[in-house]
Amino acid sequence: MTEPLLVTPTELRQHHYCPRIVFFERCTPVQRRETISMTHGREKHQSELLKERRRTLSRYELTEGERCYDVRLTSQTLGLTGELDLLIVNGTRAFPVEFKHTLGLPDPGHKLQMCAYALLVEAQLNLTCAQGYWHSSRTRQTHVISFDTRLRNRTRAVIQTIRGFIHAERCPPPTSQAIKCIDCELKNFCGDTL
Ligand code: SF4
């Protein structure tokens, strides 16, 4: 029996940015090179995780909870696999936490990524995830992300969309925001964009 095709929460975020990024990485030999800003963001991400170990839970408005780092989760039923930076567990409740090195607010792609982690936590660990926390290491702000029914349904739908085009090896349409293509390291492979 063939294994079900698994996608990652990160791919849900990338798909929101541009569906073709996921297609190129999954279905072609094209290697996406790491840009300077990607390297910088990755390094900041690691240092933020180290600092987190010394902090209290006050920024999450929680008085107690166990921190679990680098939580690897897989659900064949959901078609998802991924590693969560941080999960705070308080009894039967759990709160996924994501760190981003950005000045912006959490966008729909970030919310899809976090909701995918929440679905994984509920499916694999049998805990309840009503909300999670998205923290910007640049603005020092922490945002609550609610995993409501609408976001959950959208997350499940996007998982199926991505699995569909990977399985069919079908190139999805480009982003509708052509400005994203200007500095995209994959633009040489997108013949129908800028
Ligand atoms: S060039 Fe544009 S359409 Fe192609 S992968 Fe990059 S952002 Fe997407």
Side-chain angles (χ1 to χ4, degrees):
M1 200 170 79
T2 54
E3 292 282 307
L5 200 159
L6 303 177
V7 300
T8 67
T10 301
E11 287 175 324
L12 269 68
R13 175 173 53 78
Q14 290 173 329
H15 177 270
H16 174 77
Y17 185 83
C18 174
R20 284 197 177 169
I21 292 173
V22 179
F23 171 78
F24 282 126
E25 290 195 351
R26 284 295 198 111
C27 302
T28 76
V30 170
Q31 296 284 314
R32 195 177 174 209
R33 66 185 158 75
E34 189 171 81
T35 61
I36 292 170
S37 69
M38 285 159 97
T39 307
H40 184 61
R42 184 166 49 75
E43 289 168 355
K44 282 289 184 188
H45 187 262
Q46 288 308 320
S47 85
E48 193 64 25
L49 276 172
L50 285 175
K51 287 183 202 158
E52 176 69 21
R53 292 173 193 260
R54 300 193 292 269
R55 293 193 184 111
T56 68
L57 294 172
S58 58
R59 74 160 49 140
Y60 310 118
E61 298 174 340
L62 295 170
T63 50
E64 58 186 72
E66 180 192 355
R67 281 185 173 94
C68 307
Y69 292 93
D70 304 327
V71 183
R72 177 146 281 286
L73 300 158
T74 297
S75 166
Q76 311 280 347
T77 308
L78 289 167
L80 272 176
T81 188
E83 190 168 298
L84 178 58
D85 289 341
L86 171 61
L87 183 68
I88 302 172
V89 179
N90 183 348
T92 58
R93 300 183 306 153
F95 305 86
V97 183
E98 267 288 296
F99 300 94
K100 296 287 179 211
H101 190 62
T102 174
L103 289 171
L105 296 170
D107 68 17
H110 294 124
K111 291 178 185 177
L112 287 170
Q113 180 180 16
M114 287 208 64
C115 186
Y117 283 125
L119 294 176
L120 276 168
V121 168
E122 291 181 339
Q124 193 177 336
L125 305 181
N126 204 22
L127 298 168
T128 304
C129 284
Q131 66 184 47
Y133 300 99
W134 185 96
H135 178 75
S136 164
S137 55
R138 294 191 72 179
T139 64
R140 320 302 304 166
Q141 289 185 337
T142 303
H143 300 267
V144 176
I145 308 294
S146 295
F147 305 126
D148 57 26
T149 304
R150 192 163 175 224
L151 179 57
R152 287 167 183 264
N153 289 342
R154 171 108 182 100
T155 303
R156 289 193 184 93
V158 175
I159 294 167
Q160 294 317 319
T161 298
I162 297 174
R163 293 175 80 189
F165 71 67
I166 293 175
H167 184 72
E169 297 188 8
R170 184 185 63 244
C171 184
T175 173
S176 58
Q177 297 170 272
I179 193 167
K180 292 178 178 173
C181 304
I182 295 171
D183 290 325
C184 179
E185 65 275 21
L186 296 170
K187 67 182 170 193
N188 289 343
F189 305 98
C190 279
D192 52 353
T193 59
L194 288 176

